[in-house]
Amino acid sequence: MVDQRGGLTKVYIFFNLLSFLMMDSLPKQTLNPNKHLKEQFVSNLDGSSILEIAALLTIVPLLVLLRYSIDFHWKIDYNNGGNAVSSKKNDDEIVVYRNWKAYTNAISLDFIFIVFPMLLFFTVLSEWVYLGAVLLSLLLLILSVTAKRSSSGLQRGPSLSFRASVSSYRVALMLITCLCILAVDFTIFPRRYAKTETYGTSLMDLGVGSFVLANAIVSRQARDVSSGNWITGLKGTAPLLLLAFIRLVTTSGVDYQVHVTEYGVHWNFFFTLAAISILTSFVNIPAKYCGILGFSVLAGYQTWLISGLNTYLLSDERGTDIISKNKEGVYSILGYWGMYLLGVHLGYRLFYAKHSNIRSTTSSIARVFLVSLLLWIVTILLDNYVERISRRTCNMPYVTWVLAQDLQVSL
């Protein structure tokens, strides 16, 4: 009798385990009941026009210049108690505020004149982008004229050194990214600024490429500094891989909504950054040759795309293998790597080469403006006659658009 009960107990346990496994194989009750609705909210979007995005991002450097103009106009000095204007003598100098009051005042002005207006133009003032850009330009012009007519007559208006402009650009990029990521899930954020589904341009489409370009411009390779061997490069990639897997595990664990057509089922942007870092570690060439290699990679990838790869990447077809499930993220590595190499070359030529250090700021700005103008022309030609801009595939028109737009913002 005991054996019979023991047998029944084992059978009971077996069927319970079997039923548990069967339930695990069935669709689980989601921890996020609005997951499907949230995914639909950011899906099938067409984006905005290139002109509107350019005007919107023109506002950002205008706000930064306005912030510096306020300091100059009222002769605010955070290091000396606000009694005199001080200037930074070199780009490598680190500015440290001497007291918390000065630091708080600086942060407050940054929020009032940069962060808050950016948030307004990204949301409730999105319909007045062109007017806002014109009005801010006129305001800066008035402040510049007023500064030139100041009592001393010898002091110059607010201006940033060229490398300081790059630092401001990177800070602005981080601000834009944070604001957009937090705002995109709300209806107040215009849908045309969210990421596009297949082809098109939007504010958030620039984010991924801009991060790649920002990393390239200030990389050790662009600065012509030895980065060690490929083992050192792989060690530097470890934090990116760790972040990538942490994001994958956490989003899966809480059943967070994931737009699969963005990178794939498991892929995310940290995997893309890690892949670029690994490729750069193995193919480590001088910065002056990175432009040739980057263009070759992009030209080959674009040829592959228009030969039929773009049809596969933009379709709903997914196999069971890991590459097919993450086809957007895996194949777009070629585009982002080509963009990174071009960014390294441009950073070296425009910011870190010997001739760039002896040229005047005006001459350097003119060089960047000409390069940006050339890239805008190439972008329009590629978008109209080769293939439309697509962040999802990271094609050549997307790469040239990111380069042109970001160089324009960094002026």
Side-chain angles (χ1 to χ4, degrees):
M1 189 69 179
V2 176
D3 293 337
Q4 184 178 2
R5 288 181 178 178
L8 291 173
T9 303
K10 291 178 181 178
V11 171
Y12 176 76
I13 294 175
F14 171 77
F15 276 104
N16 272 280
L17 286 173
L18 182 62
S19 62
F20 175 78
L21 292 174
M22 291 178 64
M23 289 177 62
D24 190 60
S25 64
L26 294 174
K28 298 179 181 179
Q29 184 177 5
T30 177
L31 298 175
N32 186 359
N34 297 321
K35 177 181 178 180
H36 184 61
L37 294 176
K38 291 179 180 178
E39 289 175 350
Q40 284 185 328
F41 189 58
V42 294
S43 301
N44 302 316
L45 302 176
D46 298 324
S48 180
S49 66
I50 294 179
L51 183 60
E52 183 181 6
I53 301 304
L56 180 63
L57 291 180
T58 299
I59 291 176
V60 177
L62 290 177
L63 291 173
V64 174
L65 288 176
L66 178 62
R67 165 68 174 86
Y68 280 94
S69 297
I70 297 299
D71 280 359
F72 178 84
H73 193 72
W74 278 284
K75 296 179 173 59
I76 301 175
D77 178 20
Y78 302 106
N79 288 331
N80 296 312
N83 296 320
V85 176
S86 62
S87 59
K88 191 176 178 182
K89 295 183 179 180
N90 60 74
D91 293 332
D92 299 322
E93 181 183 347
I94 299 176
V95 177
V96 180
Y97 298 139
R98 296 180 179 176
N99 57 72
W100 280 103
K101 182 179 179 180
Y103 183 82
T104 304
N105 291 338
I107 292 296
S108 300
L109 287 176
D110 288 341
F111 181 82
I112 294 172
F113 290 100
I114 299 178
V115 180
F116 186 62
M118 283 172 57
L119 181 60
L120 291 179
F121 280 110
F122 291 170
T123 53
V124 296
L125 296 182
S126 60
E127 301 297 332
W128 289 273
V129 167
Y130 299 107
L131 181 61
V134 173
L135 291 178
L136 283 173
S137 299
L138 291 176
L139 179 59
L140 277 173
L141 181 60
I142 293 173
L143 290 175
S144 299
V145 172
T146 304
K148 288 182 180 180
R149 293 179 179 178
S150 60
S151 57
S152 64
L154 299 174
Q155 293 181 352
R156 298 175 57 188
S159 62
L160 295 177
S161 66
F162 210 43
R163 294 187 188 177
S165 297
V166 175
S167 298
S168 298
Y169 150 72
R170 297 180 70 199
V171 173
L173 171 61
M174 184 61 68
L175 280 174
I176 294 172
T177 303
C178 294
L179 291 175
C180 289
I181 290 176
L182 293 173
V184 70
D185 291 328
F186 297 91
T187 56
I188 197 174
F189 188 79
R191 294 299 90 194
R192 65 182 185 276
Y193 290 166
K195 291 181 180 179
T196 55
E197 188 71 17
T198 54
Y199 293 105
T201 56
S202 73
L203 177 61
M204 293 192 71
D205 280 336
L206 274 172
V208 182
S210 296
F211 262 96
V212 172
L213 181 61
N215 290 337
I217 288 177
V218 298
S219 64
R220 296 173 65 89
Q221 202 170 359
R223 289 179 283 132
D224 201 21
V225 177
S226 176
S227 55
N229 54 25
W230 61 272
I231 298 178
T232 305
L234 290 179
K235 289 180 179 179
T237 308
L240 290 172
L241 289 173
L242 180 62
L243 287 172
F245 281 108
I246 289 176
R247 188 186 188 281
L248 174 61
V249 172
T250 52
T251 52
S252 301
V254 300
D255 201 21
Y256 188 77
Q257 65 270 11
V258 176
H259 195 188
V260 175
T261 59
E262 186 175 346
Y263 295 108
V265 178
H266 312 101
W267 202 268
N268 58 61
F269 182 50
F270 294 112
F271 282 123
T272 299
L273 290 179
I276 294 173
S277 179
I278 292 172
L279 287 172
T280 306
S281 299
F282 281 100
V283 188
N284 191 2
I285 61 175
K288 58 184 177 181
Y289 301 121
C290 283
I292 299 175
L293 178 59
F295 177 78
S296 301
V297 171
L298 286 173
Y301 178 56
Q302 183 60 47
T303 303
W304 193 10
L305 283 172
I306 60 178
S307 299
L309 179 62
N310 54 2
T311 304
Y312 168 66
L313 293 180
L314 298 177
S315 67
D316 295 329
E317 176 186 351
R318 293 188 190 276
T320 57
D321 58 287
I322 191 69
I323 293 180
S324 182
K325 286 185 176 181
N326 301 281
K327 57 182 181 178
E328 296 90 349
V330 172
Y331 287 97
S332 64
I333 290 174
L334 294 173
Y336 287 116
W337 187 41
M339 180 192 296
Y340 181 87
L341 292 171
L342 289 179
V344 169
H345 181 77
L346 290 174
Y348 171 74
R349 291 294 183 186
L350 298 175
F351 303 111
Y352 302 108
K354 292 181 179 179
H355 61 78
S356 65
N357 292 327
I358 60 177
R359 292 179 182 269
S360 65
T361 303
T362 304
S363 176
S364 299
I365 292 176
R367 285 161 54 84
V368 175
F369 174 78
L370 290 176
V371 173
S372 177
L373 180 61
L374 177 62
L375 287 169
W376 274 120
I377 296 173
V378 172
T379 299
I380 294 173
L381 293 175
L382 291 174
D383 186 56
N384 285 279
Y385 298 105
V386 178
E387 186 182 20
R388 290 190 61 199
I389 296 173
S390 174
R391 170 205 48 81
R392 186 168 164 182
T393 61
C394 192
N395 56 6
M396 185 178 284
Y398 173 76
V399 172
T400 57
W401 175 53
V402 172
L403 292 173
Q405 183 64 76
D406 283 28
L407 286 178
Q408 174 190 316
V409 173
S410 67
L411 287 174

